[in-house]
Amino acid sequence: MGRLDGKIALITGGARGQGAAEAKLFAAEGATVRITDVLDDLGNETAASLGDAVSYRHHDVAAGDQWTRVTDELLAEFGRLDVLVNNAGIFQMGTLETTTLDDWDRMIAINQTGTFLGMQAAARPMKEQRSGSIINISSIAGLSGAAMAHSYAATKWAVRGMTKSAARELAEYQVRVNSIHPGIIETPMLEAFGAMREQIEQAIPFGRTAEASEVAALALFLASDESSYSSGHEFVIDGAMRA
């Protein structure tokens, strides 16, 4: 316990699933956590269930002005930002032929632009502090091809590349930037697989999907000082799918 004592953390997409699991674990380890999402009722409910250390704000990660509002409010209240988890994201099945331009643009806006804006917003206070950890949630789809999920894979490869570029740029300020690449995780996002879910699960060498808490444990390591010399790298949690 206490691995994040005194740290201020911002977690996007924190109303449910993986983001909520991260918030729960971070708070249990001593962090003050601000979760954001567009699911306001669920976000407020999640924050209330996790105790006084966790609070919620509405936040569309694709909107730059909302990043400014959320970050400025957090800095005014707590004076610093130690950890950013760019967790918010969407998933949609779609081949090259069936993916519409609207589908593509929406995926890019949330998964890719949202991550860029988050890193940009966090960089200023973290550079001034000369410390901080940015954790970008990518996917194993950002490590190899992903048939039937063309636009999703494109964004997750982009997150991987942006992570490395930011890590090089922010290293002199002792700010770390890493990406997490989950495989098949037991969250509401699995609903998008539909009838293909059973087939996908059978391809996991571990023989099961991961719990959101297992991904949260990896995020905790990257948020803590235990990973003080790790930056610019991919941390894979996939039950050996990409082994």
Side-chain angles (χ1 to χ4, degrees), residues 9-93:
L10 173 61
I11 302 174
T12 66
R16 62 180 182 175
Q18 196 170 297
E22 290 157 357
K24 179 179 180 179
L25 183 57
F26 282 23
E29 292 289 346
T32 298
V33 183
R34 175 69 43 86
I35 60 173
T36 71
D37 212 307
V38 294
L39 304 173
D40 293 336
D41 289 344
L42 188 56
N44 282 310
E45 180 181 325
T46 296
S49 72
L50 296 179
D52 294 340
V54 181
S55 55
Y56 172 79
R57 296 292 185 276
H58 177 88
H59 180 199
D60 175 1
V61 296
D65 60 336
Q66 293 195 29
W67 270 107
T68 300
R69 171 183 55 78
V70 166
T71 307
D72 286 353
E73 181 182 6
L74 186 147
L75 292 171
E77 189 170 350
F78 301 111
R80 60 187 297 112
L81 173 60
D82 298 295
V83 181
L84 168 64
V85 184
N86 275 314
N87 173 78
I90 59 173
F91 175 82
Q92 182 174 338
M93 301 291 289

Side-chain angles (χ1 to χ4, degrees), residues 82-105:
D82 298 295
V83 181
L84 168 64
V85 184
N86 275 314
N87 173 78
I90 59 173
F91 175 82
Q92 182 174 338
M93 301 291 289
T95 67
L96 277 169
E97 294 177 290
T98 61
T99 299
T100 68
L101 184 57
D102 285 344
D103 293 337
W104 175 270
D105 287 344

Side-chain angles (χ1 to χ4, degrees), residues 92-128:
Q92 182 174 338
M93 301 291 289
T95 67
L96 277 169
E97 294 177 290
T98 61
T99 299
T100 68
L101 184 57
D102 285 344
D103 293 337
W104 175 270
D105 287 344
R106 181 167 179 261
M107 192 76 69
I108 295 290
I110 296 172
N111 292 6
Q112 182 175 333
T113 302
T115 298
F116 163 74
L117 292 172
M119 291 194 297
Q120 191 176 61
R124 175 176 55 85
M126 288 184 177
K127 285 170 65 176
E128 291 176 357

Side-chain angles (χ1 to χ4, degrees), residues 210-242:
E211 296 296 327
S213 59
E214 293 176 291
V215 181
L218 180 53
L220 171 63
F221 167 71
L222 293 174
S224 75
D225 295 338
E226 297 162 18
S227 57
S228 58
Y229 204 60
S230 297
S231 192
H233 293 289
E234 304 92 342
F235 289 79
V236 183
I237 176 166
D238 70 348
M241 288 187 72
R242 291 295 184 269

